[in-house]
Amino acid sequence: MTEQAMALLCRGLDQLGLPWTQGAAEQLSLYGDRLLEKNQVMNLTAITDPEEVVKRHFLDSAALLPSKALGGRKVIDVGTGAGFPGLVLKILDPTIQLTLLDSLGKRVDWLGELCQELHLPDVTLLKGRAEELSRQKEHREGYDVAVSRALASMPVLAELCLPYVKPGGLFLAMKSNKTDEEIDAARAIIQTLGGEDPFVMDYLLPETEIYHRVVTVFKSRPTPKAYPRKWSKIKEAKI
C-alpha cells in the first residue's frame, strides 16, 4: 500500500477515535495489497485505488468499533465477501471471536490463505448459504453479534442474520444513509424474528463527505423454528 494510503488510514482511525497499533496498520496494509492483487483474477471489489480501498472498505468497516459492542464477543460476518467488515474488525480488535461466512468457495479459500498470512489463525471460515447454515445446531442462535455490509435489503438481511444471534445479542447492518424505506419495510419481519425496533445511527466516513449508516437491532426473543424460510420466499420481501 502506498505511503499516502497508509497515512490516510492512520488519520482516519484517529478520526474514529480508535486505538490502533503499528502492527495492526501494517496488517491492514498487507490486506490491501493482497486484495488488489487477487482482484486481478477474482472479482472481490470494484474499488481499485489504494486510498479509496482505505476509505470505503477499511475505515467504513472500522466505523463499527466505536460502539464498543464487539470486543470479546462471538461475531459472525454474514456474506463477508472479501472480508468486510469482519476481518478489519478482527485486525483492529483481536479479542473478537470472528467467524466469516460466504457462499462462494473461492472467496472462502482466499480468505483462509489471507488469514494465515496475516497471522490470524483463530478466525473461523464457513462456506455455505446463510439461510441454510443458521438451521444447523452449532450456528443457530450461537453468536453474540451478527454483522453484514452491503449484502441485501433490510427485510432480506434481517431474515438471513437474526437466526444466528442469541437472545440478548445484536444484529448490526451497515447500510447507505438513504435506506429509510427499506428499514421501515423490515420492521415487521424483525419483530417476527425476535428483534426489537431498529436503532439507526448515521456517521461520516473519515476523509470524505459521505454519510453511511449502522442499523442496530437488539434481539430479545428466540427466532421461531419456521425461520429463516427458503431463499425463494425470503427474496420476495418488498421494500
Side-chain angles (χ1 to χ4, degrees), residues 150-206:
L151 179 65
S153 68
M154 273 301 298
V156 172
L157 205 54
E159 191 161 350
L160 293 179
C161 293
L162 274 168
Y164 288 98
V165 181
K166 62 181 64 172
L170 297 172
F171 161 43
L172 304 176
M174 305 190 77
K175 305 292 291 182
S176 154
N177 69 332
K178 296 178 174 62
T179 50
D180 292 342
E181 184 180 356
E182 64 177 82
I183 292 169
D184 287 341
R187 294 183 192 277
I189 188 64
I190 286 171
Q191 289 284 330
T192 298
L193 294 163
E196 297 298 308
D197 204 47
F199 172 77
V200 175
M201 185 189 74
D202 291 351
Y203 61 92
L204 179 65
L205 194 59

Side-chain angles (χ1 to χ4, degrees), residues 209-230:
E209 297 181 357
I210 301 168
Y211 281 90
H212 283 176
R213 162 174 293 178
V214 179
V215 184
T216 300
V217 176
F218 174 75
K219 186 171 180 179
S220 58
R221 307 174 308 281
T223 296
K225 291 182 179 180
Y227 294 89
R229 297 167 294 174
K230 292 183 178 181

Side-chain angles (χ1 to χ4, degrees), residues 97-166:
Q97 302 169 54
L98 179 65
T99 295
L100 300 175
L101 165 62
D102 199 84
S103 62
L104 188 62
K106 289 182 179 179
R107 277 199 296 257
V108 174
D109 291 343
W110 175 73
L111 286 168
E113 296 167 3
L114 180 62
C115 286
Q116 290 299 315
E117 190 169 4
L118 295 175
H119 304 291
L120 298 171
D122 56 338
V123 174
T124 300
L125 300 164
L126 294 177
K127 174 191 172 297
R129 297 187 61 86
E131 73 276 14
E132 295 172 358
L133 288 179
S134 65
R135 288 190 165 278
Q136 296 181 5
K137 184 178 180 180
E138 62 265 38
H139 302 300
R140 183 76 171 188
E141 298 185 332
Y143 298 86
D144 300 303
V145 184
V147 300
S148 195
R149 178 174 177 263
L151 179 65
S153 68
M154 273 301 298
V156 172
L157 205 54
E159 191 161 350
L160 293 179
C161 293
L162 274 168
Y164 288 98
V165 181
K166 62 181 64 172

